[in-house]
Amino acid sequence: MRKQLHNQLSKGCLTLPGAVRFVYNDTSQDETYVSAVEAVVANKGKIDVFVNNFGTSNPAKDLDIEHADPEEFINTVNINQKTI
């Protein structure tokens, strides 16, 4: 589903003026980091800048760190640090 949405957004952006281009990356799938880098390099020759535009948390659980589940906290940190 996410990949289909990405493809629809990408097609729409190609009709816009400027250099906007979506590159698919799913932080839960390590292999998409490689495919995202390969897609940019194939299209532009190099990568100048990465922009982190994603983050996740569960405020109901994250705001009370004293009683938070350590595994869930570490998982949230890992997801947020891996996003680009």
Side-chain angles (χ1 to χ4, degrees):
M1 178 67 183
R2 289 181 186 172
K3 187 77 170 184
Q4 290 171 338
L5 178 58
H6 164 262
N7 289 338
Q8 289 174 347
L9 289 171
S10 293
K11 288 177 186 175
C13 284
L14 293 177
T15 64
L16 298 173
V20 176
R21 183 174 291 267
F22 286 95
V23 177
Y24 181 77
N25 178 259
D26 180 343
T27 60
S28 68
Q29 304 294 320
D30 288 344
E31 61 273 5
T32 65
Y33 286 96
V34 174
S35 63
V37 169
E38 288 173 347
V40 172
V41 172
N43 186 267
K44 295 293 183 182
K46 65 179 182 171
I47 296 175
D48 294 319
V49 177
F50 279 119
V51 175
N52 178 352
N53 63 350
F54 173 83
T56 187
S57 73
N58 182 343
K61 296 180 179 182
D62 297 341
L63 293 178
D64 185 9
I65 195 164
E66 182 180 357
H67 300 102
D69 175 14
E71 187 174 324
E72 187 170 332
F73 174 77
I74 294 299
N75 184 49
T76 299
V77 170
N78 285 337
I79 290 170
N80 289 333
Q81 288 183 342
K82 287 174 59 178
T83 61
I84 53 174

Coordinates of all heavy atoms in Angstrom, one line a residue:
M1 N 0.8 -1.2 0.0 CA 0.0 0.0 0.0 C 0.9 1.3 0.0 O 0.6 2.2 -0.8 CB -0.9 -0.1 1.2 CG -1.8 1.1 1.4 SD -3.0 1.2 0.1 CE -3.8 2.7 0.4
R2 N 1.9 1.3 0.9 CA 2.8 2.5 0.9 C 3.5 2.7 -0.4 O 3.6 3.8 -0.9 CB 3.8 2.3 2.0 CG 3.2 2.4 3.4 CD 4.3 2.3 4.4 NE 3.8 2.3 5.8 CZ 4.5 2.0 6.8 NH1 5.8 1.8 6.7 NH2 3.9 2.0 8.0
K3 N 4.0 1.6 -1.0 CA 4.7 1.7 -2.2 C 3.8 2.2 -3.3 O 4.2 3.0 -4.2 CB 5.2 0.3 -2.6 CG 6.1 0.3 -3.8 CD 7.5 0.8 -3.5 CE 8.5 0.5 -4.6 NZ 9.8 0.9 -4.3
Q4 N 2.5 1.8 -3.4 CA 1.5 2.3 -4.4 C 1.3 3.8 -4.2 O 1.3 4.5 -5.2 CB 0.2 1.5 -4.2 CG 0.3 0.1 -4.7 CD -1.0 -0.7 -4.4 OE1 -1.7 -0.3 -3.5 NE2 -1.2 -1.8 -5.1
L5 N 1.2 4.2 -2.9 CA 1.0 5.6 -2.7 C 2.2 6.4 -3.1 O 2.1 7.5 -3.8 CB 0.7 5.9 -1.2 CG 0.5 7.3 -0.8 CD1 -0.6 8.0 -1.5 CD2 0.3 7.4 0.7
H6 N 3.3 5.9 -2.9 CA 4.6 6.6 -3.3 C 4.6 6.7 -4.8 O 4.9 7.8 -5.3 CB 5.8 5.7 -2.8 CG 7.1 6.1 -3.5 ND1 7.5 5.4 -4.6 CD2 7.9 7.1 -3.4 CE1 8.6 5.9 -5.1 NE2 8.9 7.0 -4.3
N7 N 4.3 5.7 -5.5 CA 4.3 5.7 -7.0 C 3.3 6.8 -7.5 O 3.6 7.5 -8.4 CB 4.0 4.3 -7.6 CG 5.1 3.4 -7.4 OD1 6.3 3.8 -7.2 ND2 4.8 2.1 -7.4
Q8 N 2.1 6.8 -6.9 CA 1.1 7.8 -7.3 C 1.6 9.3 -7.1 O 1.5 10.1 -7.9 CB -0.2 7.6 -6.6 CG -0.9 6.4 -7.1 CD -2.2 6.1 -6.2 OE1 -2.4 6.7 -5.2 NE2 -3.0 5.2 -6.7
L9 N 2.2 9.5 -5.9 CA 2.8 10.8 -5.6 C 3.9 11.2 -6.5 O 4.0 12.3 -7.0 CB 3.3 10.9 -4.1 CG 2.1 10.8 -3.1 CD1 2.8 10.7 -1.7 CD2 1.3 12.1 -3.1
S10 N 4.8 10.2 -6.8 CA 5.9 10.5 -7.7 C 5.5 10.9 -9.1 O 6.0 11.8 -9.6 CB 6.8 9.2 -7.8 OG 7.4 8.9 -6.6
K11 N 4.5 10.2 -9.6 CA 4.0 10.5 -10.9 C 3.4 12.0 -11.0 O 3.7 12.7 -11.9 CB 3.0 9.5 -11.4 CG 3.5 8.2 -11.7 CD 2.5 7.2 -12.1 CE 3.1 5.8 -12.3 NZ 2.0 4.8 -12.5
G12 N 2.7 12.3 -9.9 CA 2.2 13.7 -9.8 C 3.2 14.7 -9.7 O 3.1 15.8 -10.3
C13 N 4.3 14.5 -9.0 CA 5.4 15.4 -8.8 C 6.2 15.6 -10.1 O 6.7 16.7 -10.3 CB 6.3 15.0 -7.7 SG 5.6 15.3 -6.1
L14 N 6.3 14.7 -10.9 CA 7.0 14.8 -12.2 C 6.4 15.8 -13.1 O 7.1 16.3 -14.0 CB 7.2 13.4 -12.9 CG 8.0 12.4 -12.1 CD1 8.0 11.1 -12.9 CD2 9.5 12.9 -12.0
T15 N 5.1 16.1 -12.9 CA 4.5 17.1 -13.7 C 4.6 18.5 -13.2 O 4.3 19.5 -13.8 CB 3.0 16.8 -13.9 OG1 2.3 16.9 -12.6 CG2 2.7 15.4 -14.5
L16 N 5.2 18.7 -12.0 CA 5.4 20.0 -11.3 C 6.7 20.6 -11.8 O 7.7 19.9 -12.0 CB 5.4 19.8 -9.8 CG 4.1 19.3 -9.2 CD1 4.3 19.0 -7.7 CD2 3.0 20.3 -9.4
P17 N 6.7 21.9 -11.8 CA 8.0 22.6 -12.1 C 9.0 22.4 -11.0 O 8.6 22.3 -9.8 CB 7.7 24.0 -12.3 CG 6.4 24.2 -11.6 CD 5.7 22.9 -11.7
G18 N 10.3 22.4 -11.2 CA 11.3 22.3 -10.2 C 11.8 20.9 -10.1 O 11.7 20.1 -11.0
A19 N 12.6 20.6 -9.0 CA 13.3 19.3 -8.9 C 12.8 18.5 -7.8 O 13.5 17.9 -7.1 CB 14.8 19.6 -8.7
V20 N 11.4 18.4 -7.6 CA 10.9 17.6 -6.6 C 10.8 16.1 -7.0 O 10.3 15.9 -8.1 CB 9.5 18.1 -6.2 CG1 8.8 17.2 -5.2 CG2 9.5 19.5 -5.7
R21 N 11.3 15.2 -6.2 CA 11.2 13.8 -6.6 C 11.1 13.0 -5.3 O 11.9 13.2 -4.4 CB 12.4 13.4 -7.4 CG 12.4 12.0 -7.8 CD 13.6 11.6 -8.7 NE 13.4 12.3 -10.0 CZ 12.9 11.8 -11.1 NH1 12.4 10.6 -11.0 NH2 12.8 12.5 -12.2
F22 N 10.2 12.1 -5.2 CA 10.1 11.2 -4.0 C 10.9 10.0 -4.3 O 11.0 9.5 -5.4 CB 8.6 10.8 -3.8 CG 7.7 11.8 -3.3 CD1 7.0 12.6 -4.1 CD2 7.6 12.0 -1.9 CE1 6.1 13.6 -3.6 CE2 6.8 13.0 -1.4 CZ 6.0 13.8 -2.3
V23 N 11.6 9.6 -3.2 CA 12.3 8.3 -3.2 C 11.8 7.5 -2.1 O 11.8 7.9 -0.9 CB 13.8 8.5 -3.1 CG1 14.6 7.2 -3.0 CG2 14.4 9.4 -4.2
Y24 N 11.3 6.3 -2.4 CA 10.7 5.4 -1.4 C 11.7 4.9 -0.4 O 12.8 4.4 -0.7 CB 10.0 4.2 -2.1 CG 9.3 3.3 -1.1 CD1 8.1 3.6 -0.6 CD2 9.9 2.1 -0.8 CE1 7.5 2.8 0.3 CE2 9.3 1.2 0.1 CZ 8.1 1.6 0.7 OH 7.4 0.7 1.5
N25 N 11.4 4.9 0.9 CA 12.2 4.3 2.0 C 11.3 3.9 3.1 O 10.4 4.7 3.6 CB 13.2 5.3 2.5 CG 14.0 4.8 3.6 OD1 13.8 5.1 4.8 ND2 15.0 3.9 3.3
D26 N 11.3 2.7 3.5 CA 10.5 2.2 4.6 C 11.5 1.8 5.7 O 12.3 0.9 5.6 CB 9.8 0.9 4.2 CG 8.9 0.3 5.3 OD1 9.1 0.6 6.5 OD2 8.0 -0.5 5.0
T27 N 11.5 2.6 6.9 CA 12.5 2.4 7.9 C 12.4 1.0 8.6 O 13.4 0.7 9.2 CB 12.3 3.5 9.0 OG1 11.0 3.4 9.6 CG2 12.6 4.9 8.4
S28 N 11.3 0.3 8.4 CA 11.3 -1.0 8.9 C 11.9 -2.1 8.0 O 12.0 -3.2 8.4 CB 9.8 -1.4 9.2 OG 9.1 -1.6 8.0
Q29 N 12.3 -1.7 6.8 CA 12.9 -2.6 5.9 C 14.3 -2.1 5.5 O 14.5 -1.1 4.7 CB 12.1 -2.7 4.6 CG 10.6 -3.1 4.8 CD 10.6 -4.5 5.4 OE1 11.3 -5.4 4.9 NE2 9.7 -4.7 6.3
D30 N 15.4 -2.7 6.0 CA 16.7 -2.2 5.8 C 17.1 -2.1 4.3 O 17.8 -1.3 3.9 CB 17.8 -3.1 6.5 CG 17.7 -2.9 8.0 OD1 17.2 -1.9 8.5 OD2 18.3 -3.7 8.7
E31 N 16.6 -3.1 3.5 CA 17.0 -3.1 2.1 C 16.5 -1.8 1.3 O 17.0 -1.5 0.3 CB 16.5 -4.3 1.4 CG 15.0 -4.5 1.4 CD 14.4 -5.3 2.6 OE1 15.2 -5.5 3.5 OE2 13.2 -5.5 2.6
T32 N 15.5 -1.1 1.9 CA 15.0 0.1 1.2 C 16.0 1.2 1.3 O 16.0 2.2 0.5 CB 13.6 0.5 1.6 OG1 13.6 0.9 3.0 CG2 12.6 -0.6 1.4
Y33 N 16.9 1.2 2.3 CA 18.0 2.2 2.4 C 18.9 2.1 1.1 O 19.2 3.1 0.5 CB 18.8 2.0 3.6 CG 18.1 2.5 4.9 CD1 17.4 1.6 5.7 CD2 18.0 3.8 5.2 CE1 16.7 2.0 6.8 CE2 17.4 4.3 6.4 CZ 16.7 3.3 7.1 OH 16.0 3.7 8.3
V34 N 19.2 0.9 0.8 CA 20.1 0.7 -0.4 C 19.4 1.1 -1.6 O 20.0 1.8 -2.5 CB 20.5 -0.8 -0.4 CG1 21.3 -1.1 -1.7 CG2 21.4 -1.2 0.8
S35 N 18.1 0.7 -1.8 CA 17.4 1.0 -3.0 C 17.2 2.5 -3.1 O 17.2 3.1 -4.2 CB 16.1 0.2 -3.1 OG 15.2 0.5 -2.1
A36 N 17.0 3.2 -2.0 CA 16.8 4.6 -2.0 C 18.0 5.3 -2.5 O 18.0 6.2 -3.4 CB 16.3 5.1 -0.7
V37 N 19.2 5.0 -1.9 CA 20.4 5.6 -2.4 C 20.7 5.3 -3.8 O 21.1 6.2 -4.6 CB 21.6 5.1 -1.5 CG1 22.9 5.5 -2.0 CG2 21.4 5.6 0.0
E38 N 20.5 4.0 -4.2 CA 20.7 3.7 -5.6 C 19.8 4.5 -6.6 O 20.3 4.9 -7.6 CB 20.5 2.2 -5.8 CG 21.6 1.3 -5.2 CD 21.3 -0.2 -5.3 OE1 20.2 -0.6 -5.5 OE2 22.2 -0.9 -5.0
A39 N 18.6 4.7 -6.2 CA 17.7 5.4 -7.0 C 18.1 6.9 -7.2 O 18.1 7.4 -8.3 CB 16.2 5.4 -6.5
V40 N 18.6 7.5 -6.1 CA 19.0 8.9 -6.2 C 20.3 9.0 -7.0 O 20.4 9.9 -7.9 CB 19.2 9.5 -4.8 CG1 19.9 10.9 -4.9 CG2 17.9 9.6 -4.1
V41 N 21.2 8.1 -6.8 CA 22.5 8.2 -7.5 C 22.3 7.9 -9.0 O 22.9 8.6 -9.9 CB 23.5 7.2 -6.9 CG1 24.8 7.1 -7.8 CG2 23.9 7.7 -5.5
A42 N 21.4 7.0 -9.3 CA 21.1 6.7 -10.7 C 20.5 7.9 -11.4 O 20.7 8.1 -12.6 CB 20.2 5.5 -10.8
N43 N 19.6 8.6 -10.7 CA 18.9 9.7 -11.3 C 19.7 11.0 -11.3 O 19.7 11.8 -12.3 CB 17.6 10.0 -10.6 CG 16.7 11.0 -11.2 OD1 16.8 12.2 -10.9 ND2 16.0 10.6 -12.2
K44 N 20.5 11.3 -10.2 CA 21.2 12.6 -10.1 C 22.7 12.5 -10.1 O 23.4 13.5 -10.1 CB 20.7 13.3 -8.8 CG 19.3 13.7 -8.8 CD 19.0 14.7 -9.8 CE 17.6 15.2 -9.8 NZ 17.3 16.2 -10.8
G45 N 23.2 11.3 -10.0 CA 24.7 11.1 -10.0 C 25.3 11.1 -8.6 O 26.4 10.6 -8.4
K46 N 24.7 11.8 -7.6 CA 25.2 11.9 -6.3 C 24.1 12.3 -5.3 O 23.0 12.7 -5.8 CB 26.4 12.8 -6.2 CG 25.9 14.3 -6.5 CD 27.1 15.2 -6.4 CE 26.6 16.7 -6.6 NZ 27.7 17.6 -6.3
I47 N 24.4 12.3 -4.0 CA 23.5 12.7 -3.0 C 24.1 13.9 -2.3 O 25.2 13.8 -1.8 CB 23.2 11.6 -2.0 CG1 22.5 10.5 -2.7 CG2 22.3 12.2 -0.8 CD1 22.2 9.3 -1.8
D48 N 23.4 15.0 -2.3 CA 23.9 16.2 -1.7 C 23.5 16.3 -0.2 O 24.2 16.7 0.6 CB 23.5 17.5 -2.4 CG 24.1 17.6 -3.8 OD1 25.3 17.3 -4.0 OD2 23.4 18.0 -4.8
V49 N 22.2 16.1 0.0 CA 21.6 16.3 1.3 C 20.5 15.2 1.6 O 19.8 14.8 0.7 CB 20.9 17.7 1.4 CG1 20.2 17.9 2.7 CG2 21.9 18.8 1.1
F50 N 20.5 14.7 2.8 CA 19.4 13.9 3.3 C 18.5 14.7 4.2 O 19.1 15.5 5.0 CB 19.9 12.7 4.1 CG 20.4 11.5 3.3 CD1 21.7 11.1 3.4 CD2 19.5 10.8 2.5 CE1 22.1 10.0 2.7 CE2 19.9 9.8 1.7 CZ 21.2 9.4 1.8
V51 N 17.2 14.6 4.2 CA 16.3 15.3 5.1 C 15.5 14.3 5.8 O 14.8 13.4 5.3 CB 15.4 16.3 4.3 CG1 14.4 16.9 5.2 CG2 16.2 17.3 3.5
N52 N 15.5 14.4 7.2 CA 14.7 13.6 8.0 C 13.3 14.2 8.1 O 13.2 15.3 8.7 CB 15.4 13.5 9.4 CG 14.5 12.6 10.3 OD1 13.4 12.3 10.0 ND2 15.0 12.3 11.5
N53 N 12.3 13.6 7.6 CA 11.0 14.2 7.7 C 10.0 13.2 8.3 O 8.8 13.2 8.0 CB 10.5 14.6 6.3 CG 10.4 13.5 5.3 OD1 10.8 12.4 5.6 ND2 9.8 13.8 4.2
F54 N 10.5 12.3 9.2 CA 9.7 11.3 9.8 C 10.1 11.1 11.2 O 11.3 11.2 11.5 CB 9.8 10.0 9.0 CG 9.1 8.9 9.7 CD1 7.7 8.7 9.5 CD2 9.7 8.0 10.6 CE1 7.0 7.7 10.2 CE2 9.1 7.0 11.2 CZ 7.7 6.8 11.0
G55 N 9.2 10.9 12.1 CA 9.5 10.5 13.5 C 8.2 9.8 14.0 O 7.1 10.0 13.5
T56 N 8.4 9.1 15.0 CA 7.3 8.3 15.6 C 7.4 8.3 17.1 O 8.5 8.5 17.7 CB 7.2 6.9 15.1 OG1 6.0 6.3 15.6 CG2 8.3 6.0 15.5
S57 N 6.3 8.2 17.8 CA 6.3 8.0 19.2 C 4.9 7.7 19.6 O 3.9 7.8 18.9 CB 6.8 9.3 20.0 OG 5.8 10.3 19.9
N58 N 4.7 7.3 20.9 CA 3.4 7.0 21.4 C 3.4 7.9 22.7 O 3.8 7.4 23.8 CB 3.2 5.6 21.7 CG 1.9 5.2 22.3 OD1 1.2 6.1 22.8 ND2 1.5 4.0 22.3
P59 N 2.9 9.1 22.7 CA 2.9 10.0 23.8 C 2.2 9.4 25.1 O 2.7 9.7 26.2 CB 2.0 11.2 23.4 CG 2.2 11.2 21.9 CD 2.2 9.7 21.5
A60 N 1.3 8.5 24.9 CA 0.6 7.9 26.1 C 1.7 7.0 26.8 O 1.5 6.9 28.0 CB -0.5 7.0 25.6
K61 N 2.7 6.5 26.2 CA 3.7 5.7 26.8 C 5.0 6.4 26.9 O 5.7 6.3 27.9 CB 3.9 4.4 26.0 CG 2.7 3.5 26.0 CD 2.9 2.3 25.2 CE 1.7 1.4 25.2 NZ 1.9 0.2 24.4
D62 N 5.4 7.3 26.0 CA 6.7 7.9 25.9 C 6.9 9.0 27.0 O 8.0 9.3 27.4 CB 7.0 8.4 24.5 CG 7.1 7.3 23.5 OD1 7.2 6.1 23.9 OD2 6.9 7.7 22.3
L63 N 5.8 9.7 27.3 CA 6.0 10.8 28.3 C 6.3 10.4 29.7 O 6.8 11.2 30.5 CB 4.7 11.7 28.2 CG 4.4 12.4 26.9 CD1 3.1 13.1 27.0 CD2 5.6 13.3 26.6
D64 N 6.0 9.1 30.0 CA 6.3 8.6 31.4 C 7.5 7.6 31.3 O 7.3 6.4 31.4 CB 5.0 7.9 31.9 CG 5.2 7.5 33.4 OD1 6.3 7.8 34.0 OD2 4.4 6.8 33.9
I65 N 8.6 8.2 31.0 CA 9.8 7.3 30.7 C 10.2 6.5 31.9 O 10.7 5.4 31.8 CB 11.0 8.2 30.2 CG1 12.0 7.3 29.6 CG2 11.6 9.0 31.3 CD1 13.1 8.0 28.8
E66 N 9.8 6.9 33.1 CA 10.2 6.2 34.3 C 9.5 4.8 34.3 O 10.0 3.8 34.8 CB 9.7 7.0 35.6 CG 10.1 6.3 36.9 CD 9.7 7.1 38.1 OE1 9.2 8.2 37.9 OE2 9.8 6.6 39.2
H67 N 8.3 4.8 33.7 CA 7.5 3.5 33.7 C 7.4 2.9 32.3 O 6.6 2.0 32.1 CB 6.1 3.8 34.3 CG 6.1 4.3 35.7 ND1 6.0 5.6 36.0 CD2 6.4 3.6 36.9 CE1 6.1 5.7 37.4 NE2 6.4 4.6 37.9
A68 N 8.1 3.4 31.4 CA 8.0 2.9 30.0 C 8.7 1.6 29.9 O 9.6 1.2 30.6 CB 8.7 3.9 29.1
D69 N 8.2 0.8 28.9 CA 8.8 -0.5 28.6 C 10.2 -0.2 27.9 O 10.2 0.4 26.8 CB 7.9 -1.3 27.7 CG 8.5 -2.6 27.2 OD1 9.5 -3.0 27.7 OD2 7.9 -3.1 26.2
P70 N 11.3 -0.6 28.5 CA 12.6 -0.3 27.8 C 12.7 -0.8 26.4 O 13.3 -0.1 25.6 CB 13.6 -1.0 28.7 CG 12.9 -1.2 30.0 CD 11.4 -1.3 29.7
E71 N 12.2 -1.9 26.1 CA 12.3 -2.5 24.7 C 11.5 -1.6 23.7 O 11.9 -1.3 22.7 CB 11.7 -3.9 24.7 CG 11.9 -4.5 23.3 CD 11.5 -6.0 23.3 OE1 11.7 -6.7 24.3 OE2 11.0 -6.4 22.3
E72 N 10.3 -1.1 24.2 CA 9.5 -0.2 23.3 C 10.2 1.1 23.1 O 10.2 1.7 22.0 CB 8.1 0.0 23.9 CG 7.2 0.7 23.0 CD 5.8 0.7 23.4 OE1 5.3 -0.2 24.1 OE2 5.1 1.7 23.1
F73 N 10.8 1.6 24.2 CA 11.5 2.9 24.1 C 12.7 2.8 23.1 O 12.9 3.6 22.3 CB 12.0 3.3 25.5 CG 12.9 4.5 25.5 CD1 12.4 5.8 25.3 CD2 14.3 4.4 25.6 CE1 13.2 6.9 25.3 CE2 15.1 5.5 25.5 CZ 14.5 6.8 25.4
I74 N 13.5 1.7 23.3 CA 14.7 1.5 22.4 C 14.2 1.4 20.9 O 14.8 1.9 20.0 CB 15.5 0.3 22.8 CG1 16.1 0.6 24.2 CG2 16.6 -0.1 21.8 CD1 17.1 1.8 24.2
N75 N 13.1 0.7 20.7 CA 12.6 0.5 19.4 C 12.2 1.9 18.7 O 12.5 2.1 17.6 CB 11.4 -0.4 19.4 CG 10.8 -0.7 18.0 OD1 11.6 -1.1 17.1 ND2 9.6 -0.5 17.8
T76 N 11.5 2.7 19.5 CA 11.2 4.0 19.1 C 12.4 4.9 18.7 O 12.5 5.5 17.7 CB 10.3 4.8 20.1 OG1 9.1 4.0 20.3 CG2 10.0 6.2 19.6
V77 N 13.4 4.8 19.6 CA 14.7 5.5 19.3 C 15.3 5.0 18.1 O 15.8 5.8 17.2 CB 15.7 5.4 20.5 CG1 17.0 5.9 20.2 CG2 15.1 6.1 21.7
N78 N 15.4 3.7 17.9 CA 16.0 3.1 16.7 C 15.3 3.5 15.4 O 15.9 3.9 14.4 CB 16.0 1.6 16.8 CG 17.1 1.1 17.7 OD1 18.1 1.8 18.0 ND2 16.9 -0.1 18.2
I79 N 14.0 3.5 15.4 CA 13.2 3.9 14.2 C 13.5 5.4 13.9 O 13.8 5.8 12.8 CB 11.7 3.7 14.4 CG1 11.4 2.2 14.4 CG2 10.9 4.5 13.4 CD1 10.0 1.9 14.9
N80 N 13.5 6.3 14.9 CA 13.7 7.7 14.7 C 15.1 8.0 14.3 O 15.3 8.9 13.5 CB 13.3 8.5 15.9 CG 11.8 8.5 16.2 OD1 11.0 8.4 15.2 ND2 11.4 8.7 17.4
Q81 N 16.1 7.3 14.7 CA 17.5 7.5 14.3 C 17.8 7.0 12.9 O 18.7 7.5 12.3 CB 18.4 6.9 15.3 CG 18.5 7.7 16.6 CD 19.5 7.2 17.6 OE1 19.9 6.1 17.5 NE2 19.8 8.0 18.6
K82 N 17.0 6.0 12.5 CA 17.3 5.4 11.2 C 16.6 6.2 10.1 O 16.8 6.0 8.9 CB 16.8 4.0 11.1 CG 17.7 3.0 11.9 CD 17.1 1.6 12.0 CE 16.8 1.0 10.6 NZ 16.3 -0.3 10.7
T83 N 15.7 7.1 10.4 CA 15.0 7.8 9.3 C 15.8 8.9 8.8 O 16.7 9.5 9.4 CB 13.7 8.5 9.9 OG1 14.0 9.4 10.9 CG2 12.7 7.5 10.4
I84 N 15.7 9.1 7.5 CA 16.5 10.1 6.8 C 15.5 10.9 5.9 O 14.5 10.5 5.5 CB 17.6 9.5 5.9 CG1 17.1 8.5 5.0 CG2 18.7 9.0 6.8 CD1 18.1 7.9 4.0

